[in-house]
Amino acid sequence: MVFELSPAAGDWTTTVLHGFAGKDGTAPYGGVVFDSAGNLYGTTAYGGKSTKCQGGCGTVFSLTPSSSGWTETVLYSFTSAGDGSAPMSGATVDSAGHIFTTTTQGGGGHQGTAFEVIP
């Protein structure tokens, strides 16, 4: 899940922003990063649409704030072919909105990939 911790009178309050369900990803090991518009981006190591990996090959996702909470969108599902699988690091977003991440498996040499998602 993606959650927020907020200080509250000497303690902390936890707010769940999104709980993953499989097709939208599972195991978000890396952290999340904000873009300049306040959207969050991250990766999940498993889940997604591909059936080439047991439990899915992983995803790149965004969380967009709204008045009713956060809306999750899967921006990319890894396939383990040339693009890799199991992204366990967080993501980086540049000023043009391109998202950069790495995978730990798959790709041409089966040792992972460096990856860019372009809007």
Side-chain angles (χ1 to χ4, degrees):
M1 80 175 66
V2 177
F3 61 93
E4 175 184 13
L5 287 174
S6 305
D11 203 1
W12 291 86
T13 301
T14 304
T15 304
V16 175
L17 305 181
H18 181 72
F20 293 94
K23 287 293 181 187
D24 65 340
T26 60
Y29 288 113
V32 292
V33 62
F34 279 102
D35 68 7
S36 60
N39 302 306
L40 286 169
Y41 297 90
T43 62
T44 64
Y46 306 105
K49 296 178 186 175
S50 181
T51 58
K52 295 181 181 178
C53 305
Q54 183 177 1
C57 298
T59 67
V60 177
F61 66 89
S62 69
L63 292 171
T64 305
S66 70
S67 59
S68 60
W70 291 80
T71 302
E72 190 250 3
T73 303
V74 175
L75 302 174
Y76 190 80
S77 287
F78 290 93
T79 66
S80 187
D83 63 353
S85 64
M88 292 187 181
S89 64
T92 300
V93 179
D94 70 10
S95 61
H98 298 197
I99 304 163
F100 299 87
T101 190
T102 58
T103 66
T104 61
Q105 300 173 19
H110 305 290
Q111 300 298 311
T113 61
F115 201 79
E116 178 182 13
V117 179
I118 302 170

